[in-house]
């Protein structure tokens, strides 16, 4: 569900014509629908309303300041994975008491900054990391709240690059080791270890794996409590899938129905870290058709957007629906195309073998469902300036990130004097 809809043959974002945005901001351009964004945040918040959860939007899916600010303003907390995301979170006035921080490789500098900021939880992924946080707290004479990320050994049945809850993955701590840490928790004098965290992967379309994971951590919580340990919080991560093509993912309500009763029984404060569910369908990438090229065996649409703008198709073979920004009123034959960018890689594509109504040079195409892991994963590969970002709010739109310039590409670079 989203608010990128046709009125007649014209694609709108909320109440703004996508074409008008592209004319003002140029292409390629990421366009976000404020209304879609906030509705998705509320959907998950409302589904779990009886548990009064803390929703921490996962910034890794989209760390646009404007987008994150809109969510923070609506009451969201933030899930961060780096010092850079902490910096951005604080810059937009997020409440540190609603920030949780996961990552297998937090550096001493990142740990120190997060302790000083007073974040809600470090989601800790190993014993060495726990020791590093304890040491830093000692040095800073501060305390930190700790959530141990449990690796529940549950297969999320999603793409192997975004499966995180099995033994094969680098994430989390196995159940036996978590138990040992609790038994030795007095060694960590500056840490309050009061939360368990579990995140099993991304783009998970069924509730089953979540239920399995929550059952496993529930048993663990019961065991730990029976030994006298205090566990006040449970963070069940993110990972809820969205519709890219023909998936029929569980709705927020289905998801809550499946897991909320298990959590209610535990009497813990619930934290969720959805990223894609909130931002995914809130954004599109609009590209201009540069050329239509016919080879002996294929038709190519060459757009001004490439894998550096949207990596998901190249990286995961991900499917994104592609639609015209202006539908032709005359009927056009449907043709099979590879939609590709200008980058010098055969892996540079937005879609392969896609049937589309015949496309002409200069037309605009919208790549749907690009709000999560879209701009966030973009790069300057092939010395391509990164695209602009725009947010539509009601009848207005705002450029929330300027298109990079060639000068931006070399900012910070230096040629050593000996080479001059
Ligand atoms: N939490 C953690 C620890 C993650 O690693 C991720 C993404 O992989 C998320 C939350 C957000 O996941 P999603 O965008 O699938 O909701």
């Amino acid at each position: 569900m989203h608010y990128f809809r046709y009125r007649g043959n014209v694609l709108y974002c909320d109440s703004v014509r996508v074409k008008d945005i592209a004319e003002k901001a140029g292409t390629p351009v990421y366009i976000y629908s404020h209304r879609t964004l906030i509705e998705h945040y509320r959907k998950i918040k409302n589904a779990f309303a009886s548990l009064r959860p803390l929703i921490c939007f996962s910034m890794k899916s989209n760390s646009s300041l404007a987008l994150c600010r809109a969510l923070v303003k609506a009451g969201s907390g933030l899930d961060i994975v780096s010092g850079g995301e902490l910096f951005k979170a604080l810059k937009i006035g997020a409440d540190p008491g609603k920030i949780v921080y996961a990552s297998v490789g937090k550096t001493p500098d990142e740990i120190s900054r997060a302790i000083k900021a007073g974040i809600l939880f470090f989601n800790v992924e190993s014993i060495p990391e726990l020791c590093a946080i304890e040491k830093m707290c000692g040095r800073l004479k501060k305390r930190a709240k700790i959530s141990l990320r449990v690796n529940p050994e549950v297969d999320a049945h999603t793409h192997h690059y975004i499966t995180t809850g099995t033994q094969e993955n680098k994430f989390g701590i196995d159940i036996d080791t978590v138990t040992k840490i609790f038994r030795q928790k007095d060694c960590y004098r500056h840490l309050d270890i009061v939360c368990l965290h579990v995140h099993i992967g991304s783009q998970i379309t069924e509730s089953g794996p979540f239920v399995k994971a929550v059952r496993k951590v529930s048993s663990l919580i019961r065991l730990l409590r029976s030994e006298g340990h205090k566990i006040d919080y449970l963070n069940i991560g993110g990972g809820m899938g969205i519709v890219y093509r023909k998936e029929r993912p569980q709705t927020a309500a289905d998801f809550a129905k499946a897991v909320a009763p298990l959590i209610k029984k535990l009497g813990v404060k619930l934290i969720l870290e959805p990223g894609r569910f909130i931002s995914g369908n809130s954004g599109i990438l609009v590209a201009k058709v540069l050329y239509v090229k016919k080879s002996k065996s294929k038709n190519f649409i060459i757009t001004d957007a490439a894998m550096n703008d949207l990596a998901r198709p190249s990286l995961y073979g991900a499917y994104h629906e592609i639609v015209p920004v202006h539908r032709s009123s005359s009927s056009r034959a449907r043709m099979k195309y590879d939609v590709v960018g200008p980058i010098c890689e055969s892996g540079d594509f937005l879609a392969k073998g896609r049937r589309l109504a015949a496309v002409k040079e200069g037309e605009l195409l919208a790549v749907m469902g690009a709000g999560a892991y879209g701009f966030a994963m973009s790069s300057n590969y092939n010395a391509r300036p990164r695209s602009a970002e725009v947010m539509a709010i009601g009848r207005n739109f705002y450029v929330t990130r300027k298109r990079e310039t060639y000068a931006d590409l070399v900012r910070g670079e230096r040629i050593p004097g000996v080479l001059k």
Side-chain angles (χ1 to χ4, degrees):
M1 201 287 305
H2 55 73
Y3 293 98
F4 296 95
R5 293 183 180 167
Y6 286 103
R7 295 188 195 167
N9 286 327
V10 178
L11 187 66
Y12 276 73
C13 170
D14 293 357
S15 297
V16 184
R17 286 199 304 191
V18 167
K19 174 174 160 282
D20 293 347
I21 298 176
E23 267 167 18
K24 170 93 192 289
T27 55
V29 58
Y30 274 92
I31 300 177
Y32 304 109
S33 152
H34 179 263
R35 186 172 173 198
T36 311
L37 182 76
I38 299 300
E39 279 197 14
H40 279 83
Y41 166 70
R42 294 209 175 116
K43 266 187 195 178
I44 188 130
K45 178 122 187 149
N46 294 342
F48 284 93
S50 64
L51 290 168
R52 299 171 56 78
L54 172 62
I55 311 287
C56 292
F57 170 64
S58 195
M59 280 182 90
K60 70 173 76 63
S61 74
N62 192 319
S63 66
S64 146
L65 293 184
L67 186 139
C68 293
R69 175 66 202 161
L71 290 166
V72 163
K73 205 161 171 251
S76 183
L78 296 171
D79 159 44
I80 62 167
V81 287
S82 68
E85 287 188 356
L86 175 63
F87 170 79
K88 293 180 92 171
L90 298 177
K91 193 168 174 65
I92 58 164
D95 175 357
K98 289 186 180 177
I99 295 178
V100 296
Y101 182 4
S103 157
V104 293
K106 303 174 184 86
T107 65
D109 178 61
E110 289 175 319
I111 291 171
S112 155
R113 286 172 192 269
I115 294 171
K116 287 181 190 157
I119 64 164
L120 177 59
F121 277 116
F122 283 93
N123 294 339
V124 169
E125 312 232 16
S126 66
I127 293 180
E129 183 196 332
L130 200 60
C131 296
I133 300 172
E134 164 66 18
K135 200 165 142 198
M136 189 61 78
C137 281
R139 198 183 295 166
L140 298 173
K141 298 192 171 44
K142 299 248 187 206
R143 298 193 68 75
K145 283 225 268 299
I146 301 297
S147 172
L148 295 181
R149 177 168 179 179
V150 181
N151 185 328
E153 293 178 32
V154 169
D155 188 348
H157 305 302
T158 183
H159 192 286
H160 61 285
Y161 280 11
I162 47 177
T163 292
T164 58
T166 69
Q167 259 183 9
E168 303 282 293
N169 308 124
K170 65 181 174 181
F171 301 102
I173 309 172
D174 66 83
I175 287 178
D176 290 345
T177 307
V178 168
T179 313
K180 274 187 210 145
I181 293 173
F182 269 95
R183 288 174 185 159
Q184 294 166 1
K185 74 173 193 289
D186 292 345
C187 304
Y188 305 102
R189 290 189 305 117
H190 299 88
L191 307 183
D192 299 315
I193 311 176
V194 290
C195 178
L196 292 185
H197 172 227
V198 63
H199 171 82
I200 54 173
S202 197
Q203 185 54 14
I204 303 167
T205 52
E206 39 176 350
S207 301
F210 290 111
V211 170
K212 255 193 201 163
V214 170
R215 284 223 166 95
K216 282 204 171 175
V217 280
S218 300
S219 307
L220 180 57
I221 289 177
R222 285 197 190 93
L223 169 77
L224 294 170
R225 281 179 171 168
S226 74
E227 294 185 4
H229 304 295
K230 199 163 103 82
I231 297 170
D232 300 331
Y233 295 81
L234 173 61
N235 180 339
I236 60 169
M240 286 177 63
I242 62 169
V243 179
Y244 285 105
R245 191 178 195 174
K246 287 185 181 143
E247 305 89 338
R248 294 179 62 85
Q250 75 273 297
T251 62
D254 295 336
F255 178 48
K257 202 168 148 200
V259 300
L262 303 173
I263 293 160
K264 216 170 248 175
K265 276 196 217 150
L266 292 170
V268 284
K269 169 98 181 147
L270 175 66
I271 303 173
L272 293 123
E273 304 168 335
R276 189 189 309 270
F277 180 82
I278 293 176
S279 58
N281 282 321
S282 308
I284 61 173
L285 172 64
V286 174
K288 183 179 278 179
V289 177
L290 297 176
Y291 303 104
V292 180
K293 170 175 170 175
K294 291 185 198 318
S295 74
K296 276 190 181 156
S297 59
K298 279 194 169 181
N299 299 311
F300 294 96
I301 296 172
I302 302 169
T303 69
D304 60 2
M307 65 187 283
N308 74 300
D309 300 298
L310 181 65
R312 297 189 70 257
S314 307
L315 194 59
Y316 311 123
Y319 181 97
H320 286 266
E321 194 185 347
I322 297 183
V323 300
V325 166
H326 191 280
R327 284 193 297 214
S328 166
S329 42
S330 60
S331 69
R332 290 188 187 176
R334 288 179 82 74
M335 314 260 289
K336 204 168 170 188
Y337 294 106
D338 279 8
V339 184
V340 302
I343 281 185
C344 301
E345 299 272 348
S346 296
D348 174 26
F349 61 91
L350 300 174
K352 286 216 156 176
R354 188 68 57 88
R355 288 206 170 275
L356 297 170
V359 168
K360 293 187 182 152
E361 285 177 14
E363 290 181 340
L364 297 174
L365 295 175
V367 184
M368 307 302 287
Y373 308 101
F375 189 91
M377 281 183 156
S378 65
S379 76
N380 291 123
Y381 187 40
N382 274 207
R384 286 170 52 85
R386 281 183 297 173
S387 62
E389 294 183 289
V390 169
M391 181 176 280
I393 307 180
R395 295 183 178 284
N396 299 313
F397 69 90
Y398 306 87
V399 176
T400 55
R401 184 184 175 110
K402 284 197 299 195
R403 180 176 309 287
E404 285 180 347
T405 62
Y406 289 148
D408 290 328
L409 292 179
V410 295
R411 193 166 8 101
E413 287 204 49
R414 298 283 179 278
I415 296 174
V418 291
L419 296 179
K420 281 183 183 158

